[in-house]
Amino acid sequence: MGIIADLHCHSTASDGVDRPARVVERAKAAGLKVLALTDHDSVDGVPEARAKGNELGVEVLTGAELTCYIGKQELNVLAYGIDENSPALVDHCTKFVQARTDRARKIGERLAECGAPLDMDAVVASCDGGVVGRPHIAKALVAAGHVESYQQAFDLYLANGKPGDVPKMMVDPQFIIDVIHEANGLAVLAHPGLWDQFDMLPDLKKMGMDGVEVWHSCHSQADSLRLLDIADRYGLMKTGGSDCHGALGDRKEILGQWGLDTSAWLRVKERLDAR
């Protein structure tokens, strides 16, 4: 049975290539019935996406991808079905967006010290109100001629352990899970196979984590099978998505290539409806 729901994608409201409405148009073209817009630490793109979804017959699930840490280990938590006007959520996202802008400028300072200066005012402005992140800086590095490709920007300057590795605002998972629940949403650990976070799931379940992203573009079949077993043992909701940011440089268009078939989506919908 084919994929009908992609519950992990990004737009220009964070570090995606396309505006929210365009993401929904691409979802329709890919044959999706359901799309969750999960921009980093932002719900700003949801109203535009929802309006386009109503027009095209694509159900747009309110979402976000919120960042937190256990020690120095970053975790991403997907929030589904949230009230985007929740005061706690809005306050957190506002603070986090400012912190990400401050972080981008710090990265710019480090790049200048390495002989790869950028006009960071222009980089921030290029986000068009979205959340500035490393992909925007990578694009600027290519445009300035400091690197030949998007991937090289990360390999030389922006990946973990490189000069542009500046931590985001440090928030713990319990705080993020509580913010999501206060916004009447469900909290799901994103792509644990990407960063080998399988063993964190029992403790995260105790904190109130509702689910885990089983199917993801960076998960191997072995990762997904392992996560299916963990989800069954701990009663976690099983979700999936492409984590598509749109085609950019070396990055391909993958919307709708990972996600949920009809039966898996209906099980997620049951949990959402039971909130």
Side-chain angles (χ1 to χ4, degrees), residues 50 261 273:
R50 186 186 295 121
D261 62 19
D273 291 344

Side-chain angles (χ1 to χ4, degrees), residues 7-30:
L7 302 188
H8 191 165
C9 70
H10 300 272
S11 75
T12 51
S14 64
D15 57 349
V17 172
D18 296 314
R19 288 196 61 84
R22 178 60 184 147
V23 175
V24 178
E25 289 173 350
R26 288 176 20 237
K28 177 72 173 181

Side-chain angles (χ1 to χ4, degrees), residues 68 70 75-77 173-174 176-178 181 186-190 192 197-213 227 229-238 271:
C68 56
I70 294 179
L75 292 83
N76 292 160
V77 181
Q174 186 67 71
I176 290 298
I177 292 168
D178 290 346
H181 287 166
L186 297 177
V188 172
L189 180 64
Q197 295 173 338
F198 304 96
D199 294 341
M200 293 181 177
L201 280 160
D203 287 338
L204 291 170
K205 170 66 175 178
K206 291 176 184 175
M207 295 180 194
M209 189 73 76
D210 301 290
V212 59
E213 189 172 43
L227 289 166
D229 178 64
I230 293 171
D232 285 338
R233 277 190 283 137
Y234 292 96
L236 292 163
M237 180 175 69
K238 303 161 189 171
R271 292 286 293 269

Side-chain angles (χ1 to χ4, degrees), residues 1-83:
M1 191 178 294
I3 292 167
I4 68 153
D6 188 330
L7 302 188
H8 191 165
C9 70
H10 300 272
S11 75
T12 51
S14 64
D15 57 349
V17 172
D18 296 314
R19 288 196 61 84
R22 178 60 184 147
V23 175
V24 178
E25 289 173 350
R26 288 176 20 237
K28 177 72 173 181
L32 293 171
K33 305 294 184 185
V34 183
L35 183 76
L37 188 67
T38 53
D39 280 308
H40 292 288
D41 308 295
S42 174
V43 291
D44 289 349
V46 170
E48 180 183 321
R50 186 186 295 121
K52 180 57 70 171
N54 291 338
E55 178 187 325
L56 297 181
V58 176
E59 180 177 352
V60 173
L61 180 62
T62 306
E65 185 173 9
L66 305 180
T67 308
C68 56
Y69 288 84
I70 294 179
K72 292 185 177 180
Q73 174 68 67
E74 179 179 330
L75 292 83
N76 292 160
V77 181
L78 294 161
Y80 292 128
I82 44 178
D83 172 10

Side-chain angles (χ1 to χ4, degrees), residues 128-269:
D128 193 25
V131 182
V132 63
R134 287 182 296 178
H136 300 107
I137 298 171
K139 185 177 179 181
L141 284 167
V142 174
H146 296 310
V147 294
E148 295 181 357
S149 68
Y150 180 89
Q151 186 59 52
Q152 190 179 55
F154 274 85
D155 291 343
L156 295 180
Y157 295 112
L158 300 175
N160 293 344
K162 299 300 180 180
D165 181 14
V166 176
K168 299 171 188 171
M169 187 172 79
M170 305 293 277
V171 184
D172 66 58
Q174 186 67 71
F175 174 82
I176 290 298
I177 292 168
D178 290 346
V179 165
I180 293 170
H181 287 166
E182 188 169 340
N184 198 34
L186 297 177
V188 172
L189 180 64
H191 47 61
L194 179 61
W195 294 330
D196 191 15
Q197 295 173 338
F198 304 96
D199 294 341
M200 293 181 177
L201 280 160
D203 287 338
L204 291 170
K205 170 66 175 178
K206 291 176 184 175
M207 295 180 194
M209 189 73 76
D210 301 290
V212 59
E213 189 172 43
V214 172
W215 300 280
H216 181 272
S217 52
C218 289
H219 282 177
S220 66
Q221 184 176 19
D223 290 336
S224 294
L225 289 172
R226 184 175 178 183
L227 289 166
L228 282 169
D229 178 64
I230 293 171
D232 285 338
R233 277 190 283 137
Y234 292 96
L236 292 163
M237 180 175 69
K238 303 161 189 171
T239 75
S242 62
D243 200 358
C244 181
H245 291 65
L248 175 64
D250 307 320
R251 211 163 55 185
K252 305 301 181 185
E253 169 60 84
I254 57 173
L255 191 67
Q257 294 183 26
W258 285 265
L260 306 179
D261 62 19
T262 299
S263 60
W265 161 242
L266 290 176
R267 286 192 291 271
V268 169
K269 190 173 186 302

